[in-house]
Amino acid sequence: MSNKIKATKMVIIVLVYYLVTLFAAGFFGLIQPDTGIPTEVIQLTQFGPTFGVVIIMLLFRRHSLHIASGFRFNSNILRRLLIVLASIVFVFAIAIGWYRVWGVSVDFVHPSDLSSPFWLIIIAQFIGAAGEEFGWRCFLQPFLQTRLRVLNASLLVGLLWGIWHVGIFSEGFMFAGLFILSTVSMSVFLGELLSRAKGNHLMLAVSFHALMNLGMLLLFDEENGSLFAMAALAGAVMILALSLLLFRWRTKYNKFPRKDRHDYSVIPRK
């Protein structure tokens, strides 16, 4: 990706991408009932970000914009996939623990009770997550990072990603605020995770996104506007993001210690 893109041009590209993505998602949402595809299986709105990337690549092709969607499978990616799996377990353990603290039962849905075969839902969730992440994490995140720090870019992507789900505002501003907190927190986590993924963003981002969606489908009823469920999920993901940021900070601090720190272990005994 070219680093010579001016700030004004970057704003224009981001704005065009976002508007196209919004309108494309709205259009896909309108035509979904006519397709007969259940929203429980896949939501066509998820392909709005991919459509936005296609339009951007056509309109601004002379800028050589980069898409970080590599599929290299190596030890680095395997390690990060394991981090994704551990993070999903961590998030839902925290959320379920919050339910237990307040004495609220988890609204577990058995896969056999779903209206469509669970294997089909799993495949569709990964496809739908790819439709979103191709835009948010494979294009927009690395594009913003040409001028912004990883954390700042992640915060902005998370905010735009959350507001993009315009339907959340029909549930009230408290619910919408918690939802946006969750998207910002997930974006911060993914931004840090992908910062050293060497361009292999799609596999990692899609895995996290799809597994989160599947977990929410089976365990929580935030889709029905449950404020308690949304608060539990937002709080759990925020703890995950803050934990990773703290780990990164401590690692960086230990790698570059302060010059005035003394290691008394090397003082020879007299």
Side-chain angles (χ1 to χ4, degrees), residues 71-141:
F71 279 98
R72 296 177 185 173
F73 192 81
N74 49 38
S75 59
N76 180 45
I77 298 303
L78 178 59
R79 182 168 60 253
R80 293 176 189 279
L81 282 174
L82 292 176
I83 292 174
V84 166
L85 293 175
S87 300
I88 294 296
V89 173
F90 177 84
V91 166
F92 287 108
I94 294 292
I96 292 173
W98 183 250
Y99 267 66
R100 295 286 177 86
V101 167
W102 289 95
V104 179
S105 60
V106 176
D107 189 21
F108 175 70
V109 177
H110 196 278
S112 61
D113 294 332
L114 297 171
S115 59
S116 301
F118 191 53
W119 63 266
L120 177 62
I121 292 176
I122 292 175
I123 295 174
Q125 285 297 325
F126 274 85
I127 294 174
E132 284 194 49
E133 296 303 339
F134 188 75
W136 301 121
R137 243 63 59 174
C138 294
F139 166 69
L140 189 59
Q141 177 84 25

Side-chain angles (χ1 to χ4, degrees), residues 6-250:
K6 296 181 180 180
T8 52
K9 179 67 72 173
M10 171 174 278
V11 172
I12 291 172
I13 291 175
V14 172
L15 184 60
V16 171
Y17 163 78
Y18 197 60
L19 290 176
V20 171
T21 298
L22 276 172
F23 282 108
F27 174 75
F28 292 149
L30 287 174
I31 67 172
Q32 176 146 4
D34 297 328
T35 66
I37 301 174
T39 56
E40 183 183 75
V41 176
I42 192 171
Q43 296 183 13
L44 298 183
T45 55
Q46 291 180 284
F47 297 100
T50 293
F51 188 79
V53 173
V54 171
I55 296 301
I56 287 295
M57 290 300 167
L58 291 174
L59 293 178
F60 301 95
R61 55 182 177 272
R62 67 185 182 89
H63 291 288
S64 301
L65 301 176
H66 176 64
I67 300 176
S69 58
F71 279 98
R72 296 177 185 173
F73 192 81
N74 49 38
S75 59
N76 180 45
I77 298 303
L78 178 59
R79 182 168 60 253
R80 293 176 189 279
L81 282 174
L82 292 176
I83 292 174
V84 166
L85 293 175
S87 300
I88 294 296
V89 173
F90 177 84
V91 166
F92 287 108
I94 294 292
I96 292 173
W98 183 250
Y99 267 66
R100 295 286 177 86
V101 167
W102 289 95
V104 179
S105 60
V106 176
D107 189 21
F108 175 70
V109 177
H110 196 278
S112 61
D113 294 332
L114 297 171
S115 59
S116 301
F118 191 53
W119 63 266
L120 177 62
I121 292 176
I122 292 175
I123 295 174
Q125 285 297 325
F126 274 85
I127 294 174
E132 284 194 49
E133 296 303 339
F134 188 75
W136 301 121
R137 243 63 59 174
C138 294
F139 166 69
L140 189 59
Q141 177 84 25
F143 179 63
L144 290 174
Q145 284 178 200
T146 60
R147 283 190 173 271
L148 301 177
R149 294 179 182 272
V150 173
L151 178 58
N152 293 336
S154 299
L155 291 171
L156 181 55
V157 171
L159 180 63
L160 294 175
W161 182 31
I163 297 174
W164 175 74
H165 295 80
V166 293
I168 61 173
F169 293 100
S170 64
E171 303 294 345
F173 284 102
M174 182 64 75
F175 185 93
L178 288 169
F179 181 86
I180 292 173
L181 174 62
S182 71
T183 59
V184 169
S185 298
M186 283 188 279
S187 186
V188 168
F189 170 78
L190 286 172
E192 292 296 324
L193 184 70
L194 300 175
S195 63
R196 296 170 179 82
K198 299 180 180 179
N200 296 286
H201 289 197
L202 192 61
M203 184 188 305
L204 295 170
V206 167
S207 297
F208 182 81
H209 192 147
L211 292 174
M212 279 293 300
N213 284 349
L214 288 169
M216 290 188 291
L217 175 66
L218 296 178
L219 296 173
F220 300 105
D221 57 348
E222 85 292 337
E223 285 289 337
N224 297 324
S226 171
L227 193 61
F228 187 87
M230 196 67 256
L233 288 167
V237 179
M238 183 179 67
I239 292 172
L240 172 68
L242 291 176
S243 298
L244 183 56
L245 286 176
L246 179 61
F247 174 77
R248 292 290 195 207
W249 179 80
R250 288 179 61 87

